[in-house]
């Protein structure tokens, strides 16, 4: 736990206010949170006063304060506005204690300058180490490096106004830094960070995502009673496509012929373009679509109204009742349509009224059945999971809305695996632990497409993607033992402002930041964090 002190916002004062009222208003504006306001920094002078008061409250030698019982407070950090010459953006104080006694305080100063592309503004490694030795009276120091590289980042698409926040980056740490901005050694410890928002039209599984979106439309319509039908993806009407499917079945002598069924399944696969050809080698398309799944493929691309839906199911139910078709379906299918088809095998089918939400629920159920099999088949074929391990995601023991929610989770996992395979060329030994991590997370948490999944990885596997690139963040940590605690000096370069309460108006520019148009040099913010210990006894 820590305390963060910041200014809440500006209070407008009138000429009629008394001096005492002005003082009260100023205090309120500094310490009272304001709904919806972002963090606002205090002046450096005011921040120093607060740190001083905090320090005195923790100092047992300040007997004149008449504090009957002292307690160790959490560390205090104060946002600063960089108004001093050093451009201080944070001041911090952290009590030091021995058992239950406060013995001193650790004072922190964080400064920030930039952005600049001029490397002559960067500190020298030996100078940083020497400054640390002098500040902390230490002859032995240890260095630790950290670098973050963006391996894959989505950009704004043409004709869109929303930028995807999908990103794959790698964090690398290592000991014994030899120079500023050095490339991490292959012996370093690395963690892959994967944040992926499904729905990018350039994704190899975009068609699957679009199929899932239609499923979500049905689920929302079932819940609210209002269905926002998407534009059809084909020119033919839903009724024409379903009648064509039924005619094919009527022409079969035995109701099901394996070779004919195979051809029909291949036709549907080609028609629906369920999976882009670029990942066919990664995730195989299913060639065993049953009648209900073929019906889904036809209808999800062509149905544009509730009336379409009713007409299509009327054709199907009539053909089943008249014995004109006796289609094959997968064993274990849980949809209402599958149950009706099963009943025809025994010569009797219950009457069904295609009114109200029933048609929408019927289509949702067959879509759920199909998509569950699609995802599970992908993962099992690649030996990334077992049916038992994936049972949580395909269970029918929960209501339809929760089943759809879990299918969404499976799609997010698939998008992550495909992206790592396509862009980072991951093999099974990396995909398997990533799959396990994603599945574990989604068994315990709701759908979160902004979640950052992490995977420990050897730098050598992805080195070719960052070795000639600029780091988005590069940090040096110098540490040594001092008194009761380890003390650190941190020097960091980052392509983004490291502090959320700073703007370009209060950041100091160290050097000329003009970059030659032909030179692709990164603009870096330079941040320094120093600490010093003050002992009370």
């Amino acid at each position: 736990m820590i305390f963060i002190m910041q200014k809440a916002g500006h209070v407008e004062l009138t000429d009629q206010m008394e001096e005492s009222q002005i003082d009260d208003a100023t205090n309120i504006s500094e310490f009272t949170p304001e709904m919806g306001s972002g963090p606002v920094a205090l002046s450096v002078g005011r921040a120093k006063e607060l740190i001083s008061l905090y320090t005195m409250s923790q100092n047992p030698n300040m007997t004149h304060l008449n504090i009957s019982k002292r307690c160790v407070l959490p560390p205090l950090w104060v946002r600063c506005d960089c108004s001093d010459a050093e451009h201080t953006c944070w001041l911090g104080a952290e009590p030091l204690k021995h058992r239950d006694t406060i013995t001193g305080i650790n004072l922190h100063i964080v400064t920030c300058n930039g952005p600049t592309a001029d490397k002559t503004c960067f500190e020298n490694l030996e100078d940083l180490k020497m400054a640390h030795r002098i500040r902390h009276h230490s002859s032995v120091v240890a260095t630790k490096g950290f670098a973050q590289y963006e391996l894959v980042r989505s950009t704004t698409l043409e004709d869109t106004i929303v930028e995807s926040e999908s990103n794959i980056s790698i964090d690398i740490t290592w000991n014994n830094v030899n120079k500023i901005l050095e490339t991490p050694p292959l012996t370093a410890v690395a963690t892959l960070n994967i944040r992926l928002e499904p729905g990018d039209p350039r994704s190899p599984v975009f068609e699957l995502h679009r199929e899932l979106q239609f499923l979500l439309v049905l689920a929302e319509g079932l819940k609210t009673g209002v269905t926002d039908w998407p534009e059809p993806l084909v020119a033919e009407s839903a009724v024409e496509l379903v009648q064509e499917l039924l005619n094919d079945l009527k022409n079969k002598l035995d109701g099901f012929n394996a070779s004919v069924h195979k051809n029909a399944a291949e036709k549907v696969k080609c028609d629906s373009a369920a999976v882009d050809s670029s990942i066919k080698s990664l995730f195989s398309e299913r060639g065993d679509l049953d009648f209900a799944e073929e019906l889904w493929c036809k209808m999800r691309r062509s149905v544009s109204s509730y009336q379409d839906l009713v007409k299509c199911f009327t054709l199907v139910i009539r053909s089943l009742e008249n014995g004109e078709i006796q289609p094959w379906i997968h064993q274990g299918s849980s949809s209402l349509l599958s149950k009706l088809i099963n009943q025809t095998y025994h010569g009797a089918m219950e009457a069904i009224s295609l009114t109200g939400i029933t048609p929408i629920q019927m289509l949702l159920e067959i879509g759920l059945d199909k998509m569950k099999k699609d995802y599970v088949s992908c993962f099992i074929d690649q030996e990334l999971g077992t049916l038992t391990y994936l049972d949580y995601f395909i269970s029918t023991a929960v209501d339809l809305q929760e089943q759809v929610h879990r299918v969404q989770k499976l799609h997010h996992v698939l998008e992550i695996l495909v992206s790592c395979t396509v862009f980072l060329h991951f093999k099974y030994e990396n995909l398997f632990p990533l799959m396990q991590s994603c599945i574990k997370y989604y068994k315990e948490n709701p759908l979160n497409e902004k979640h950052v999944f992490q995977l420990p990885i050897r730098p050598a596997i992805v080195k070719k993607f960052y070795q000639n690139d600029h780091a988005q963040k590069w940090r040096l940590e110098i540490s040594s033992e001092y008194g009761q605690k380890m003390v650190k000096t941190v020097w960091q370069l980052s392509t983004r402002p490291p502090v959320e309460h700073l703007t370009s108006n209060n950041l100091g520019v160290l050097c000329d930041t003009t970059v030659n148009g032909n030179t692709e040099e990164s603009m870096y913010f330079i941040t320094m964090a120093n600490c010093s210990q003050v002992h009370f006894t």
Side-chain angles (χ1 to χ4, degrees):
M1 179 185 293
I2 65 171
F3 290 145
I4 293 181
M5 189 74 76
Q6 64 189 35
K7 193 172 185 177
H10 176 69
V11 174
E12 293 186 5
L13 307 177
T14 65
D15 295 336
Q16 287 76 24
M17 282 188 174
E18 298 291 338
E19 186 175 348
S20 60
Q21 291 177 310
I22 293 176
D23 290 339
D24 291 341
T26 303
N27 290 336
I28 292 173
S29 73
E30 285 187 330
F31 304 116
T32 304
E34 189 174 280
M35 292 299 293
S37 62
V40 181
L42 295 164
S43 68
V44 177
R46 183 61 169 143
K48 288 180 178 179
E49 290 178 7
L50 294 169
I51 291 293
S52 179
L53 291 170
Y54 175 90
T55 301
M56 285 194 294
S57 74
Q58 297 295 279
N59 189 344
N61 299 319
M62 296 290 177
T63 55
H64 64 283
L65 296 178
N66 296 323
I67 300 176
S68 58
K69 185 178 180 181
R70 294 181 182 274
C71 64
V72 181
L73 293 174
L76 171 68
W77 285 88
V78 185
R79 298 184 191 272
C80 303
D81 62 4
C82 293
S83 57
D84 60 337
E86 290 76 25
H87 300 289
T88 302
C89 56
W90 282 102
L91 285 178
E94 177 185 10
L96 301 171
K97 65 177 183 176
H98 180 66
R99 295 177 183 171
D100 295 329
T101 305
I102 302 173
T103 61
I105 201 152
N106 211 15
L107 298 174
H108 301 272
I109 300 176
V110 182
T111 60
C112 181
N113 285 279
T116 179
D118 189 345
K119 293 185 179 180
T120 62
C121 298
F122 299 169
E123 295 284 351
N124 178 275
L125 175 61
E126 293 305 318
D127 290 343
L128 288 169
K129 291 164 67 174
M130 181 59 68
H132 179 93
R133 291 191 185 99
I134 294 173
R135 175 185 289 270
H136 299 294
H137 312 288
S138 175
S139 59
V140 179
V141 298
T143 57
K144 185 176 182 179
F146 170 88
Q148 183 180 84
Y149 295 90
E150 287 186 346
L151 307 182
V152 179
R153 181 169 182 82
S154 294
T155 56
T156 304
L157 295 174
E158 293 182 8
D159 302 323
T160 63
I161 58 174
V162 179
E163 180 178 357
S164 170
E165 296 185 15
S166 298
N167 174 276
I168 301 178
S169 65
I170 187 169
D171 292 347
I172 310 175
T173 59
W174 69 100
N175 295 320
N176 303 319
V177 178
N178 296 311
K179 65 178 182 178
I180 298 296
L181 276 179
E182 74 175 357
T183 301
L186 295 182
T187 54
V189 176
T191 301
L192 202 66
N193 306 299
I194 306 164
R195 174 176 175 172
L196 195 143
E197 296 182 25
D200 189 333
R202 297 165 300 186
S203 169
V205 290
F206 178 67
E207 282 299 324
L208 283 177
H209 177 265
R210 190 150 59 176
E211 188 172 350
L212 177 63
Q213 292 309 298
F214 185 72
L215 199 73
L216 295 177
V217 166
L218 296 176
E220 185 66 19
L222 193 64
K223 182 168 62 176
T224 65
V226 178
T227 304
D228 187 14
W229 298 100
E231 287 292 325
L233 301 177
V234 294
E236 299 156 287
S237 73
V239 174
E240 290 174 341
L241 291 175
V242 171
Q243 187 62 65
E244 178 186 327
L245 178 62
L246 296 174
N247 290 339
D248 287 343
L249 289 175
K250 290 175 184 177
N251 293 331
K252 298 181 180 130
L253 296 177
D254 301 320
F256 175 73
N257 177 283
S259 61
V260 176
H261 171 75
K262 181 181 177 185
N263 291 335
E266 289 175 350
K267 182 180 185 300
V268 171
K269 285 190 300 177
C270 179
D271 179 57
S272 64
V275 181
D276 188 88
S277 59
S278 62
I279 62 163
K280 284 182 179 178
S281 59
L282 310 173
F283 298 98
S284 302
E285 300 174 5
R286 286 198 300 122
D288 61 342
L289 299 183
D290 65 10
F291 169 73
E293 291 172 327
E294 291 183 26
L295 186 64
W296 162 262
C297 290
K298 298 283 187 182
M299 293 177 67
R300 74 101 179 170
R301 295 172 62 82
S302 57
V303 169
S304 60
S305 68
Y306 179 80
Q307 290 72 24
D308 276 355
L309 195 58
V310 173
K311 290 177 182 177
C312 289
F313 277 125
T314 299
L315 288 175
V316 173
I317 298 299
R318 186 181 300 151
S319 295
L320 289 171
E321 288 175 336
N322 296 337
E324 297 172 353
I325 60 172
Q326 197 173 26
W328 169 81
I329 56 169
H330 285 295
Q331 185 177 3
S333 296
S334 60
S335 68
L336 175 57
L337 180 62
S338 297
K339 291 175 183 177
L340 294 175
I341 294 172
N342 262 318
Q343 291 172 4
T344 64
Y345 297 162
H346 306 286
M349 187 182 77
E350 67 179 270
I352 184 78
S353 176
L354 295 175
T355 58
I357 62 172
T358 300
I360 294 178
Q361 182 168 332
M362 288 177 65
L363 188 58
L364 175 62
E365 287 175 348
I366 64 176
L368 261 175
D369 268 359
K370 176 189 178 293
M371 296 203 75
K372 285 178 184 178
K373 290 185 178 70
D374 287 343
Y375 293 121
V376 171
S377 176
C378 285
F379 297 136
I380 291 179
D381 286 350
Q382 297 299 313
E383 300 182 354
L384 295 172
T386 63
L387 193 60
T388 301
Y389 192 67
L390 297 171
D391 180 66
Y392 164 85
F393 299 95
I394 60 176
S395 172
T396 56
V398 294
D399 63 39
L400 284 176
Q401 298 294 336
E402 177 60 22
Q403 290 182 50
V404 172
H405 187 69
R406 295 184 183 186
V407 166
Q408 279 185 275
K409 294 180 179 182
L410 279 181
H411 182 82
H412 193 204
V413 174
L414 178 61
E415 291 247 20
I416 290 170
L417 296 176
V418 168
S419 293
C420 288
T421 304
V422 172
F423 298 119
L424 302 181
H425 308 156
F426 270 17
K427 303 301 182 184
Y428 177 80
E429 58 269 22
N430 301 119
L431 291 176
F432 183 76
L434 178 57
M435 171 75 176
Q436 301 299 301
S437 174
C438 294
I439 292 298
K440 182 179 185 299
Y441 175 82
Y442 271 141
K443 281 185 176 180
E444 301 170 354
N445 298 280
L447 177 71
N448 181 5
E449 295 178 346
K450 296 183 182 296
H451 178 72
V452 178
F453 291 92
Q454 294 189 312
L455 177 71
I457 193 172
R458 291 184 292 112
I461 295 174
V462 292
K463 183 183 178 182
K464 63 182 178 181
F465 297 105
Y466 71 80
Q467 61 183 348
N468 297 319
D469 197 8
H470 299 293
Q472 272 62 50
K473 190 179 292 184
W474 194 97
R475 183 164 63 238
L476 167 69
E477 185 179 288
I478 304 170
S479 60
S480 62
E481 291 188 8
Y482 182 78
Q484 304 167 18
K485 193 174 182 180
M486 185 73 70
V487 288
K488 296 179 181 179
T489 298
V490 180
W491 186 86
Q492 175 181 281
L493 296 172
S494 59
T495 55
R496 298 187 181 91
V499 183
E500 60 181 339
H501 62 265
L502 296 184
T503 65
S504 57
N505 294 330
N506 52 21
L507 282 174
V509 179
L510 282 178
C511 309
D512 180 10
T513 58
T514 302
V515 183
N516 187 296
N518 297 323
T519 305
E520 294 184 0
E521 288 292 337
S522 289
M523 301 281 284
Y524 284 116
F525 292 90
I526 305 172
T527 309
M528 171 83 84
N530 286 308
C531 69
S532 58
Q533 289 186 359
V534 177
H535 296 279
F536 296 147
T537 56

